Amino acid sequence: MFPTANTEDIVQVTSFKTNSGGSSNERDPLSSTQVAKQQNRDITLNMLIKEMVFCVALALTTYGALHNTSTKVSKYPQAVRFFSTDSIVKDWYRGQLSNALSAINSVDVSFVMYYAPWDAESQYVRGEFEKAALILRDYVHFSAINCWNPGSECRLHHSKIPSWPILMAYTVNSRGVLYKGPRDAHSMVNFLQMIMKPLERVSTTEHLVHLLSICDAVAVGYTPLTDTSRYYNIWYYAAMKAREFDTVGEICFAVVTSEELAIDLGVEVMPNARMMLWNDTKEFLNNGDIQSWNESSLLHWVLENFSQPVARVIPMWKKAFSFERYVDGNPILILFTPLNPLYEQLPSYDLLREVAMEYYNCNNNESTQWTSELIKLQQVQRLLYQQKDFVKFCQQYKFKKSVSKHNLYYKKEIVSQNNKYPWSNVTQKSQKTGSVNILIKRGLPIPKLADGSYDESQVLSSLALLQECISTELPAEKSFYDNYEQCQSQNHDRNVNIEENSEEHLTNLETTMLPFEDDPLSPDNLVQENVKHFCKLMKFAYETNPPAAPTRIPTKEEKQNMTNVHGLACAKNFSLHMLAVDSVANHHFAEFLGIDISKRKDKTIAVILNSKHESQYVLSEEYSAKSIRDFIYNFTYKSLKRSLRTHVEDAAHTHYYGSEGKTTSKGTNNSSIEVIDLTTRSFKKLINTPGTVRLVMVCGGSCGAARARALAAAARRLRAASVPARAARLDALRHDLPWQYSGHVHPTVFVFPADMDKEAESRSYPSMERITSSGLVALALRSLAPPEQLRVRLHICQRAHANEEKKICLKYTREHVTTVIDRSLKYWRWNEHRELKDALLKRLQYLHQVSLDLSVLHTSDLNSDNKRYETLLSNLNLLSKTWKIDMSNVRDKKTRS
């Protein structure tokens, strides 16, 4: 195991026995053998020592491994309830996934929140989730599952959830629908309302027209139920799945199950689907390939073809991606208005949609006539909706209790040989009576109608108008659009009349209905429950904000004088992107643009952003049909005044630098400098303030402490030299400036001279240089008159530490005075006007006196108590008083001569 010699040693031993020479010394072989043996012993000893060290190390390692205790790992905390015990939400806080799914499968609709108890977003959504549960507790089952608890069933099945919480809606006949919308209770309730009723069944043409008037787009599936319901189910699942991408319901999904109605609407191949947009209609199966009728194809087709004149942007976490597709160089119009999803219509949003349809409806468009008719239809619907008062309706609605006794008006049988429907006579009688009363109120007396003495054409037009107004749905005929105001007044009269007639005939009512029982699903009880649920939703919606509507309905004269924006998108080489943003949930967007949205009527304002010219324009008037059209028209033809955004109106907070001397009650002293935080308005006020040198630093964000200290130090040096100066800074990311003061790089320092006539000659600091106090003082010197420059230079010489520095400073000051004298002397020689020459001569006398004082001034005289220094300062004061020459009198005398 242990070798005693290497190969070389063996060779040496054998060679000494065989090789011998006569000339060799006889003692050499013996000495060689002894050396070889000694080397073998050393090698063997070294190997033994190495093996012993290895064995000891191995023994110690084995001993440590056998006697080492296992690593202690802290146990995860025990799961606790995330929702309170009295909460409506069923909390599966231990992650019991199978039990939760069993409860979910036993109800029609359920909404599940997969959460992690430590997650901040889950903790925020918890309160909103409970609010939604309070509203829909009778219709939707709400559950919450702790899917983070280690070792739980939910964690084992779903171990790779990227973020929390996950919100899923389930129904008994479909797969889960992921909720990707805003995490507030109103949006959740609206989403669940669409899940409970994903399709609107269309039974008449008027019903379809009504959907077109209130929706951005209508996706209609034509699936007759004659043979099978498979096609209907596929369309139903596609409508459900679409809510993952359309969480607010911009696309209305409808279905036509009547084959006769489908044929009347021009659909030849069934099943089929149509996407009815504001300017076009897309058809799904043009070639009759029924094999493509599946959920994925339908969903892809709907989302690909959907377009709208006004895009409703809902910024989530990645706000840049929400606006990215609209930033293509064209200007953007953003309407900030409350977009509460629980309201069926949003009049402020609908008004902008009407204007956008006019704006994009060019004359060369094939669907010009269709779009014009749709605009009128939507306008009628918006005006009708604005006049509704849901609070008053819910307060005055008389809710009845469930009837559990026999009906007093029950009759076994009614036999009639004249009418197909026994109740037809009563209904017709009420309508005719109401019609006659309305005609009388309109000034058409019945006796004249009977005698035939009244104009027949007027009677026929009135009856036609009455027939249109009686319709429960909005008709598709164009004549109704021009008479909707008259319809409104007649509808009011007719409703009052019907109420009177219903009360009159209530006691004589006869019916063939069975006696009422205490059935919660009876027709009356269902109506009552539906109204209660509607009023509950409206009350919940009003808690956030009431419906926002434009200022008022325009009169006929205003309609005639309304600005025409029809086809303006094709009039110029640019077109506006029109967006709508919820001003309640995203008010910070408006604040960043310098708009206090809380001070606007209905929290509604319109803004145009022009990234190409780096400008923005804010609607100054109240939002109305006229003001928004004027706003777009004036922007198109460049007659709008640019709006300068500012974050706050006044600078309430200021910062002070310096601690020398005695502190005053305000926290400042004579040596301290106030660095003012400017806004757009206070910036204009500051630069228009005469008598002071203004140092303004414009930064892209906060200016930073180092730059602010340099700004304050420069202002302090100027003040110490008896030059009035003010220091200020401005955040350019929050406050806009006029064009001439917009810097290309940040920070930018402007120096405004004390003389107001030289505001246009303001100087800026070199962009590539480091901002220092000495550099700012040097820049300020360029804007000062020579007397103030000399005063500042003397102060700099006085503050110099080394004597050599003071000598150099005085040398440069004397050279500067010599240069000023030389320039003034040239002006005196070249000028021929007597009064001007006398003024220049007086200036030269004081300059020569200052130059003489400087020539005898020594470095040791740079002291405030020195007589030579005081004499020099007094002469500089006299020079300052005579330096400015009034040239207006000189010009007047020149013109007279």
Side-chain angles (χ1 to χ4, degrees), residues 434-533:
S435 304
V436 171
N437 290 337
I438 294 173
L439 291 175
I440 293 174
K441 289 184 178 182
R442 292 201 64 203
L444 301 177
I446 299 299
K448 290 186 178 182
L449 290 175
D451 296 341
S453 58
Y454 210 80
D455 188 4
E456 184 178 359
S457 61
Q458 189 174 358
V459 175
L460 292 176
S461 62
S462 301
L463 291 175
L465 174 63
L466 178 65
Q467 184 63 31
E468 291 176 357
C469 296
I470 289 175
S471 176
T472 57
E473 299 288 347
L474 284 178
E477 287 78 11
K478 182 182 177 181
S479 60
F480 182 79
Y481 306 146
D482 303 325
N483 302 323
Y484 68 90
E485 292 178 350
Q486 301 178 33
C487 285
Q488 278 299 107
S489 61
Q490 290 191 12
N491 278 335
H492 175 73
D493 298 335
R494 183 170 60 86
N495 291 336
V496 173
N497 232 316
I498 290 176
E499 289 180 2
E500 294 174 356
N501 292 328
S502 61
E503 292 178 359
E504 178 183 351
H505 294 281
L506 183 61
T507 56
N508 300 324
L509 182 64
E510 295 180 353
T511 177
T512 56
M513 295 178 64
L514 294 175
F516 285 100
E517 297 180 358
D518 191 8
D519 182 10
L521 299 180
S522 64
D524 280 356
N525 289 337
L526 288 177
V527 171
Q528 296 283 323
E529 188 63 30
N530 189 28
V531 175
K532 286 181 182 179
H533 179 63

Side-chain angles (χ1 to χ4, degrees), residues 113-126:
M113 172 182 172
Y114 297 89
Y115 68 88
W118 51 265
D119 179 57
E121 187 71 15
S122 299
Q123 295 172 9
Y124 165 75
V125 176
R126 172 174 52 187

Side-chain angles (χ1 to χ4, degrees), residues 80-325:
V80 296
R81 287 187 175 274
F82 193 62
F83 292 83
S84 60
T85 54
D86 58 345
S87 175
I88 304 173
V89 180
K90 180 64 176 177
D91 189 8
W92 307 94
Y93 62 96
R94 292 193 180 93
Q96 310 97 307
L97 183 61
S98 57
N99 295 338
L101 293 178
S102 299
I104 291 169
N105 293 331
S106 62
V107 295
D108 292 336
V109 182
S110 57
F111 198 39
V112 182
M113 172 182 172
Y114 297 89
Y115 68 88
W118 51 265
D119 179 57
E121 187 71 15
S122 299
Q123 295 172 9
Y124 165 75
V125 176
R126 172 174 52 187
E128 300 297 318
F129 197 74
E130 279 192 303
K131 290 180 184 178
L134 287 172
I135 301 299
L136 298 177
R137 59 189 303 177
D138 298 330
Y139 304 93
V140 180
H141 170 74
F142 285 81
S143 287
I145 306 175
N146 183 358
C147 215
W148 175 83
N149 190 31
S152 64
E153 186 180 359
C154 186
R155 179 68 177 270
L156 294 176
H157 285 80
H158 307 286
S159 59
K160 296 182 179 180
I161 295 180
S163 62
W164 309 93
I166 301 295
L167 299 174
M168 295 286 294
Y170 298 95
T171 60
V172 292
N173 55 356
S174 68
R175 298 183 297 273
V177 180
L178 178 64
Y179 177 66
K180 301 178 181 178
R183 305 295 179 84
D184 60 277
H186 294 84
S187 300
M188 294 180 191
V189 170
N190 177 64
F191 171 75
L192 293 174
Q193 290 278 120
M194 293 185 294
I195 292 297
M196 289 189 289
K197 189 180 180 182
L199 292 177
E200 182 80 17
R201 183 175 178 271
V202 174
S203 56
T204 61
T205 306
E206 287 76 11
H207 192 185
L208 183 58
V209 173
H210 173 74
L211 288 177
L212 282 172
S213 64
I214 63 175
C215 301
D216 291 337
V218 181
V220 187
Y222 300 90
T223 58
L225 300 176
T226 53
D227 299 330
T228 178
S229 61
R230 185 171 71 90
Y231 304 127
Y232 173 86
N233 292 335
I234 293 175
W235 181 246
Y236 177 89
Y237 296 145
M240 290 275 291
K241 195 65 176 177
R243 297 310 172 193
E244 289 189 2
F245 309 95
D246 178 24
T247 58
V248 296
E250 294 177 300
I251 306 174
C252 294
F253 283 85
V255 63
V256 174
T257 57
S258 171
E259 190 172 354
E260 291 78 6
L261 180 59
I263 294 174
D264 293 340
L265 294 173
V267 179
E268 299 177 355
V269 178
M270 286 177 284
N272 206 345
R274 283 183 177 178
M275 190 74 173
M276 306 186 75
L277 306 172
W278 66 278
N279 59 348
D280 197 5
T281 300
K282 306 288 185 179
E283 192 163 0
F284 179 66
L285 292 178
N286 290 324
N287 53 0
D289 185 14
I290 302 180
Q291 297 296 330
S292 61
W293 186 267
N294 54 71
E295 182 180 335
S296 59
S297 299
L298 287 169
L299 184 60
H300 177 74
W301 173 79
V302 169
L303 298 177
E304 184 181 16
N305 290 283
F306 173 65
S307 65
Q308 53 190 152
V310 180
R312 195 181 306 184
V313 179
I314 306 176
M316 299 295 284
W317 299 274
K318 299 178 180 179
K319 292 180 277 294
F321 293 103
S322 302
F323 296 92
E324 181 183 13
R325 54 177 151 170

Side-chain angles (χ1 to χ4, degrees), residues 333-392:
L333 188 148
I334 302 178
L335 175 66
F336 291 97
T337 188
L339 299 177
N340 196 322
L342 293 182
Y343 294 123
E344 183 182 6
Q345 290 182 246
L346 302 167
S348 296
Y349 170 78
D350 293 339
L351 173 60
L352 183 62
R353 187 175 59 180
E354 297 167 18
V355 176
M357 290 166 67
E358 294 180 17
Y359 179 79
Y360 295 121
N361 191 22
C362 302
N363 293 326
N364 56 355
N365 195 342
E366 297 179 356
S367 60
T368 301
Q369 185 63 28
W370 156 258
T371 306
S372 300
E373 296 297 326
L374 185 59
I375 292 172
K376 295 177 182 178
L377 181 61
Q378 291 184 354
Q379 183 181 9
V380 172
Q381 280 286 11
R382 175 176 60 83
L383 296 175
L384 293 176
Y385 190 82
Q386 285 181 216
Q387 297 176 9
K388 295 179 181 179
D389 190 349
F390 299 113
V391 175
K392 184 178 179 181

Side-chain angles (χ1 to χ4, degrees), residues 584-865:
V584 176
N586 304 284
H587 57 87
H588 51 282
F589 281 84
E591 290 175 358
F592 186 79
L593 297 175
I595 303 170
D596 189 356
I597 201 70
S598 62
K599 295 183 179 180
R600 299 286 181 169
K601 181 182 179 294
D602 294 331
K603 297 182 179 179
T604 301
I605 191 65
V607 185
I608 293 179
L609 302 178
N610 192 349
S611 59
K612 186 176 181 180
H613 297 93
E614 297 181 356
S615 59
Q616 72 176 28
Y617 307 87
V618 180
L619 180 64
S620 57
E621 304 174 8
E622 288 187 356
Y623 179 71
S624 63
K626 186 177 187 307
S627 64
I628 190 63
R629 286 179 169 87
D630 293 341
F631 188 53
I632 296 174
Y633 184 87
N634 293 333
F635 173 79
T636 303
Y637 290 99
K638 300 180 179 180
S639 58
L640 276 182
K641 185 179 179 181
R642 180 192 178 203
S643 302
L644 300 178
R645 63 192 174 99
T646 183
H647 185 59
V648 289
E649 294 184 358
D650 299 316
H653 303 284
T654 54
H655 303 271
Y656 302 97
Y657 299 90
S659 59
E660 299 177 2
K662 184 178 179 180
T663 304
T664 62
S665 58
K666 292 184 179 179
T668 62
N669 51 60
N670 296 329
S671 65
S672 64
I673 297 297
E674 178 184 2
V675 180
I676 307 172
D677 286 333
L678 295 178
T679 65
T680 301
R681 295 181 182 179
S682 57
F683 174 82
K684 292 181 179 180
K685 184 178 179 181
L686 179 69
I687 65 175
N688 292 325
T689 303
T692 58
V693 177
R694 289 137 292 172
L695 304 174
V696 181
M697 183 180 295
V698 181
C699 304
S702 60
C703 291
R707 296 189 181 112
R709 282 196 297 267
L711 192 68
R716 186 184 295 110
R717 286 191 180 186
L718 294 174
R719 283 191 183 183
S722 300
V723 176
R726 300 184 69 181
R729 58 186 178 184
L730 182 138
D731 184 1
L733 297 182
R734 296 178 179 271
H735 311 277
D736 287 333
L737 296 177
W739 294 112
Q740 61 270 27
Y741 301 116
S742 298
H744 297 287
V745 293
H746 295 133
T748 299
V749 182
F750 296 103
V751 176
F752 297 92
D755 190 356
M756 285 299 298
D757 297 337
K758 297 181 180 179
E759 178 187 339
E761 300 178 4
S762 60
R763 291 167 172 81
S764 61
Y765 199 86
S767 58
M768 303 303 294
E769 299 294 331
R770 187 172 68 91
I771 296 177
T772 59
S773 59
S774 58
L776 291 174
V777 171
L779 181 64
L781 284 176
R782 294 176 176 271
S783 65
L784 295 176
E788 283 76 16
Q789 286 191 30
L790 291 173
R791 194 182 299 277
V792 176
R793 286 176 181 271
L794 287 174
H795 176 72
I796 294 174
C797 296
Q798 189 182 19
R799 296 295 298 269
H801 298 288
N803 192 35
E804 190 66 27
E805 292 180 0
K806 292 182 179 181
K807 289 182 180 180
I808 295 173
C809 183
L810 284 176
K811 176 185 176 183
Y812 286 151
T813 305
R814 295 188 187 104
E815 292 177 356
H816 178 70
V817 174
T818 304
T819 304
V820 174
I821 292 174
D822 182 63
R823 189 184 305 117
S824 299
L825 190 58
K826 287 181 180 179
Y827 291 159
W828 180 83
R829 290 173 179 173
W830 294 345
N831 202 295
E832 298 179 356
H833 196 275
R834 174 56 55 185
E835 293 184 3
L836 184 58
K837 292 193 72 166
D838 293 342
L840 290 173
L841 181 61
K842 193 173 183 180
R843 177 191 291 181
L844 283 169
Q845 292 174 356
Y846 284 111
L847 281 172
H848 281 289
Q849 186 62 40
V850 170
S851 177
L852 179 62
D853 294 339
L854 277 173
S855 62
V856 297
L857 191 69
H858 194 262
T859 56
S860 60
D861 299 330
L862 293 174
N863 194 348
S864 300
D865 299 333

